[in-house]
Amino acid sequence: MEIRKVAVIGAGVMGAGIAAHVSNAGIPVVLLDIVPEAAGNRNAIAEGAVQKMLKAQPAPFMHKRNARLVTTGNIEDNLDLLADCDWIIEAVIEKLDIKQALYEKIDAVRKPGSVVSSNTSTIPLRDLVDGMPQAFAADFIITHFFNPPRYMRLLEVTTGDRTRPEAASVIADFCDRSLGKGVVHCKDTPGFIANRIGIFWIQVAILEAMQLGLSVEEADAVMGKPLGIPKTGVFGLSDLVGIDLMPHLMESMQRTLPKEDPFLEKSTIPELVSRMIAEGYTGRKGKGGFYRINRTEGRKVKESIDLVTGEYSPSGKASLESLDASRLGGLPALVMHPDRGGQYARRVLAQVLGYAASLVPEIADDIVAVDQAMKLGYAWKFGPFELIDKLGAENFVQLLEEQGIKVPGLLEKAAGQSFYRTQEGRLQYLDIQGRYQDVLRPEGVLLLSDIKRSTEPLAQNGSAALWDIGDGVVCLEYTSKMNAMDPDILALMREAVDIVKRGYKALVLHNEGENYSVGANLGLLLFAANIGTWDQIEEMVEAGQESYRALKYAPFPVVGAPSGMALGGGCETLLHCDAIQAHAETYIGLVEVGVGLVPGWGGCKEMLQRWISNKRRPGGPMPAVIKCFETISTATVAKSAAEAKDSLFFRADDGISMNRDRLLADAKARALALAEDYQPPEPIEISLPGPTAKAAMKMAVDGVRLAGKATRHDVVVSMRLAELLSGGDTDITEMLSEEDLLRLEREAFMDLVRNPDTLDRMEHMLETGKPLRN
């Protein structure tokens, strides 16, 4: 069975988001909702949801054109649209009677063998199918998406006693490959995996912070980076998802959990939280929450609530000795520290990690599913059992005993062992019988982390490594901080070309960091500029140009496989590749103007060549130059791999992988396909319009400046970029080689890097992470 068409019933935030993400996979989707009372347009709810998503940020659609794949309607007039759907998703209000009444209508029109699923997270599957025909129950599963569906990778899949195996396997495979989901199979238990543990974690962390007298800043600092949890911690996360959800979540858990479950002891909503909700302080969607922005007196001041008094005051940075200790000694140093931060970490982790350990195999068959659910659903860097390994299982048992918490049987079986280990290059986990099993990857998944466990690098330095990924393909991995491009990466890039030439077929540029590369290492550049070593800076610019050209003209194919941000110098590496296999969530752009510079490693050259050779562009020499100027001068960043094709950061035939875990395998396959009878590209020459184009761009810059949308230094940078892109003093009759274009880039870059205003911008970016408007 193949999923060719999908329907979603329920056009609320979640249902509409699911429909949008199905369209991101190129699959037609029907979106239905009820007929609103006294409405002239009976499809108003579903149609309104699509229109709202087209304007929303972050965008549910990876490209606005995907909205054309969504057919809207209502459940009174348009249920016949379900007849040819392969998968029907119910995402309506969490009331059993309403859901079952809808299922009866769906069953009357759906085709045999189509899969029906619910997005519920509160109603057991057995109750949903109670009284339904066997044929319906056999095709019914729960598919629990996390919000927003485009960006949150976790999908929890639950089956029932009457579910046929193929119903779950077909949907799981589709969601893995086409929707990019990390599919976790879980038991039919309250909250499944992620919310069962995640809600307990938030509740315990809030209660313990109040009891220990911590500020919200201190609690979030402890519950954030030291544990590998996003910096929002628990209070910031509560503001993000909505504080008013807490009573509903607690009510659901109180209603469905066994009476002896430890969760119930912590399910009371604090009086402060109840008061905040009553007064409209429900988080970011309300007047504020545990944090708020005070906009009085014409200023924006971030404030935090006092957990004792309920009063707000300006937020400050958490200062705890335990946090300082964790930076040097990691998680164990935090947990063992005697101050209130260490005490807070001990009490929260003992309860939460102990609770997680007690739930296997109740909620999942193994610890891998639990860890994956928390990493994909709550963005934890480490799952509960990985955190226990960081503390040491025996140490954690001792911590539980000190806190008076019963030691789960799974922890007793792990005595003297770790939950994970590497054995003969294979990652293994401890099963519920206390035996080690290999962690199995789905077919078509190739992870660089797995390769690194089983082999040594072909070459390596402080910022990069070269790995043999099999079948004659080599992977160049960046390992610097934020994968920023630096001289070590450039050096290994040139070495990679030599190594691959001597006995391999192809090269892939890929890493498993949060971002492919945030661009050049500004710290190194600023240091060199501050001490005036201009020759060294120019050498680094030339080294980058030479390294990237070596990739472009190598006698073997080079495939870029980015994910996350690919900015500045990172973007430029991809512009020099033969092909791209990008993760769908790739955000790419040439953003150098934000720090007062222009692309200096061939980015301008490559963009000019792409736009000039683009058969769809208007004729004449000017449109291509103007388009490059618009893209680079505004630091345009494509917000998806699909959008990147519009700006020609990616080519029309470049590939997109929806699942990040499949990216390296897809890129490797693309590289091997290109390697057959591969011939490197021929250098090309282009003609540029010269001063005429520069004059046109100056008029545009002057207009932006007069409108108050550009600063004095913006004008300086933009005009230097205009001179570069127009070809300087050339005219349309002169052909410019790549060497000519690279020389123009070097000259423009060096002129700007000497400008004191540019140095101020660079310094400000390093200090704040934000551009300076000077």
Side-chain angles (χ1 to χ4, degrees):
M1 177 181 172
E2 186 177 349
I3 304 298
R4 294 190 177 93
K5 187 175 181 181
V6 175
V8 180
I9 303 180
V13 172
M14 181 61 84
I18 294 170
H21 195 48
V22 171
S23 78
N24 291 334
I27 302 296
V29 56
V30 173
L31 179 63
L32 306 180
D33 209 299
I34 62 173
V35 177
E37 292 184 13
N41 179 3
R42 294 171 65 83
N43 301 336
I45 294 178
E47 289 179 8
V50 173
Q51 292 305 311
K52 186 176 181 180
M53 289 192 295
L54 284 169
K55 301 173 184 177
Q57 291 297 333
F61 291 110
M62 290 181 175
H63 197 289
K64 289 184 183 297
R65 65 170 173 262
N66 295 345
R68 301 173 195 164
L69 291 169
V70 183
T71 300
T72 56
N74 67 79
I75 60 175
E76 292 184 21
D77 306 326
N78 307 118
L79 278 180
D80 60 306
L81 294 175
L82 306 184
D84 61 345
C85 291
D86 304 296
W87 179 21
I88 302 165
I89 305 167
E90 169 268 301
V92 303
I93 190 170
E94 292 288 87
K95 291 187 177 180
L96 181 59
D97 58 337
I98 292 177
K99 290 180 184 289
Q100 288 193 323
L102 178 61
Y103 297 160
E104 291 178 2
K105 294 178 181 178
I106 292 172
D107 200 31
V109 297
R110 73 185 183 99
K111 65 182 181 181
S114 60
V115 179
V116 181
S117 72
S118 175
N119 187 57
T120 185
S121 61
T122 63
I123 302 176
L125 186 148
R126 59 184 176 274
D127 293 346
L128 292 172
V129 297
D130 185 39
M132 296 298 296
Q134 171 58 29
F136 182 89
D139 293 333
F140 188 86
I141 62 176
I142 288 176
T143 50
H144 181 220
F145 289 81
F146 276 63
N147 195 36
R150 170 183 166 182
Y151 300 96
M152 298 303 293
R153 287 190 61 201
L154 178 61
L155 178 74
E156 293 177 316
V157 173
T158 300
T159 59
D161 295 337
R162 295 194 282 166
T163 306
R164 59 186 175 91
E166 188 189 8
S169 63
V170 165
I171 298 303
D173 186 70
F174 173 78
C175 291
D176 170 354
R177 297 175 186 272
S178 298
L179 300 187
K181 295 301 176 185
V183 178
V184 175
H185 295 272
C186 48
K187 307 287 185 70
D188 188 15
T189 57
F192 305 125
I193 299 175
N195 281 344
R196 179 78 169 269
I197 297 170
I199 296 170
F200 182 73
W201 163 63
I202 293 171
Q203 183 73 355
V204 167
I206 289 175
L207 294 176
E208 292 295 346
M210 290 178 169
Q211 188 169 345
L212 288 168
L214 271 74
S215 67
V216 295
E217 297 97 328
E218 290 172 334
D220 282 347
V222 172
M223 283 292 115
K225 187 175 180 180
L227 277 67
I229 290 172
K231 63 182 180 180
T232 50
V234 287
F235 290 102
L237 178 61
S238 298
D239 282 355
L240 182 64
V241 301
I243 297 171
D244 54 331
L245 282 178
M246 292 175 66
H248 300 289
L249 294 170
M250 291 304 115
E251 187 277 330
S252 172
M253 290 299 180
Q254 290 167 350
R255 176 170 43 84
T256 56
L257 284 173
K259 293 182 179 180
E260 67 278 6
D261 195 287
F263 194 123
L264 300 179
E265 299 175 8
K266 302 290 180 179
S267 62
T268 302
I269 300 297
E271 189 275 333
L272 172 64
V273 173
S274 298
R275 189 168 75 245
M276 291 171 66
I277 295 171
E279 295 174 358
Y281 287 93
T282 56
R284 295 188 187 184
K285 65 183 179 183
K287 295 190 292 186
F290 294 108
Y291 298 94
R292 74 175 184 183
I293 301 298
N294 189 334
R295 292 181 171 84
T296 58
E297 300 179 2
R299 297 183 302 133
K300 292 169 61 176
V301 179
K302 184 178 181 180
E303 296 181 337
S304 311
I305 199 167
D306 187 301
L307 296 175
V308 177
T309 66
E311 299 295 323
Y312 285 95
S313 61
S315 300
K317 185 176 181 180
S319 179
L320 293 168
E321 290 183 4
S322 53
L323 291 174
D324 296 333
S326 72
R327 295 184 186 101
L328 297 174
L331 184 58
L334 171 68
V335 171
M336 296 304 295
H337 201 279
D339 75 358
R340 65 180 184 274
Q343 187 179 359
Y344 180 56
R346 285 194 297 278
R347 288 168 65 164
V348 173
L349 289 179
Q351 294 176 72
V352 174
L353 302 185
Y355 185 57
S358 74
L359 293 175
V360 180
E362 177 192 339
I363 62 173
D365 288 330
D366 54 57
I367 67 169
V368 178
V370 172
D371 282 348
Q372 280 293 96
M374 293 311 298
K375 289 191 287 186
L376 297 177
Y378 278 76
W380 289 15
K381 186 175 181 180
F382 310 104
F385 294 95
E386 291 171 319
L387 287 171
I388 293 173
D389 275 353
K390 286 186 172 296
L391 295 170
E394 290 188 346
N395 293 333
F396 186 66
V397 167
Q398 183 179 347
L399 176 60
L400 291 180
E401 291 171 343
E402 291 173 356
Q403 298 284 326
I405 298 172
K406 182 181 178 181
V407 177
L410 189 58
L411 273 167
E412 292 176 342
K413 290 179 181 177
Q417 304 178 94
S418 60
F419 280 106
Y420 292 93
R421 73 176 185 181
T422 298
Q423 185 76 4
E424 298 178 354
R426 303 189 311 276
L427 180 63
Q428 296 184 328
Y429 70 95
L430 199 68
D431 68 14
I432 58 175
Q433 282 80 37
R435 298 173 301 199
Y436 283 103
Q437 307 288 342
D438 289 346
V439 174
L440 301 178
R441 307 297 185 194
E443 182 183 355
V445 169
L446 177 65
L447 299 181
L448 191 57
S449 54
D450 285 342
I451 291 168
K452 291 163 67 173
R453 287 188 187 95
S454 59
T455 188
E456 295 295 322
L458 299 173
Q460 187 175 28
N461 60 32
S463 297
L466 207 59
W467 301 94
D468 183 341
I469 61 173
D471 300 312
V473 181
V474 172
C475 177
L476 175 60
E477 175 196 26
Y478 312 144
T479 59
S480 59
K481 183 177 181 181
M482 300 183 74
N483 295 326
M485 310 302 294
D486 63 18
D488 279 351
I489 291 179
L490 300 179
L492 198 62
M493 194 175 285
R494 295 190 294 272
E495 186 178 351
V497 172
D498 292 336
I499 289 174
V500 177
K501 275 194 300 188
R502 294 199 299 265
Y504 294 90
K505 298 177 182 178
L507 178 67
V508 171
L509 310 183
H510 173 75
N511 62 74
E512 292 176 352
E514 184 177 346
N515 297 301
Y516 171 78
S517 174
V518 296
N521 187 323
L522 282 183
L524 287 177
L525 181 59
L526 182 61
F527 176 78
N530 281 333
I531 62 175
T533 54
W534 308 117
D535 290 344
Q536 181 181 341
I537 293 175
E538 189 160 11
E539 287 173 4
M540 187 168 69
V541 175
E542 289 178 348
Q545 292 181 345
E546 292 170 5
S547 300
Y548 291 9
R549 287 196 77 205
L551 292 180
K552 181 175 181 178
Y553 295 110
F556 51 81
V558 178
V559 174
S563 57
M565 290 190 290
L567 306 177
C571 172
E572 288 175 293
T573 64
L574 301 173
L575 291 173
H576 287 80
C577 290
D578 293 287
I580 298 297
Q581 186 69 38
H583 182 229
E585 298 297 350
T586 298
Y587 317 117
I588 183 171
L590 295 168
V591 297
E592 287 84 350
V593 296
V595 291
L597 295 169
V598 295
W601 284 341
C604 296
K605 163 183 69 73
E606 291 298 313
M607 291 300 287
L608 282 169
Q609 290 178 348
R610 291 187 181 201
W611 277 103
I612 287 173
S613 60
N614 181 23
K615 295 179 181 179
R616 295 185 177 181
R617 72 171 176 85
M622 293 286 284
V625 173
I626 297 300
K627 189 63 182 179
C628 289
F629 181 73
E630 290 174 355
T631 301
I632 299 172
S633 67
T634 58
T636 296
V637 174
K639 295 178 181 178
S640 69
E643 280 192 7
K645 295 186 177 186
D646 294 346
S647 303
L648 299 194
F649 292 128
F650 296 157
R651 304 175 184 88
D653 62 349
D654 282 334
I656 297 176
S657 298
M658 292 294 284
N659 194 322
R660 186 170 179 172
D661 288 347
R662 296 183 178 276
L663 178 58
L664 182 56
D666 292 346
K668 177 183 173 182
R670 185 74 186 274
L672 287 170
L674 289 173
E676 297 181 15
D677 302 319
Y678 176 77
Q679 293 294 324
E682 292 290 333
I684 65 174
E685 294 184 336
I686 60 175
S687 60
L688 294 172
T692 304
K694 181 180 177 181
M697 287 182 275
K698 184 178 186 302
M699 291 177 62
V701 172
D702 289 344
V704 175
R705 174 67 166 148
L706 288 173
K709 297 180 180 179
T711 67
R712 177 182 56 80
H713 194 52
D714 288 335
V715 173
V716 171
V717 177
S718 295
M719 289 314 302
R720 196 64 185 86
L721 176 64
E723 184 177 358
L724 157 61
L725 294 175
S726 61
D729 294 329
T730 189
D731 62 54
I732 197 64
T733 65
E734 184 180 351
M735 299 303 293
L736 299 178
S737 67
E738 287 202 353
E739 288 79 4
D740 294 328
L741 296 173
L742 290 172
R743 173 182 51 79
L744 290 170
E745 282 193 34
R746 283 197 307 274
E747 290 173 353
F749 187 94
M750 292 305 299
D751 283 352
L752 289 169
V753 80
R754 288 184 171 95
N755 190 307
D757 289 334
T758 291
L759 301 186
D760 288 344
R761 285 194 176 190
M762 292 167 60
E763 187 169 1
H764 188 268
M765 177 64 76
L766 284 171
E767 290 178 353
T768 67
K770 299 176 182 178
L772 173 67
R773 307 297 296 164
N774 61 337

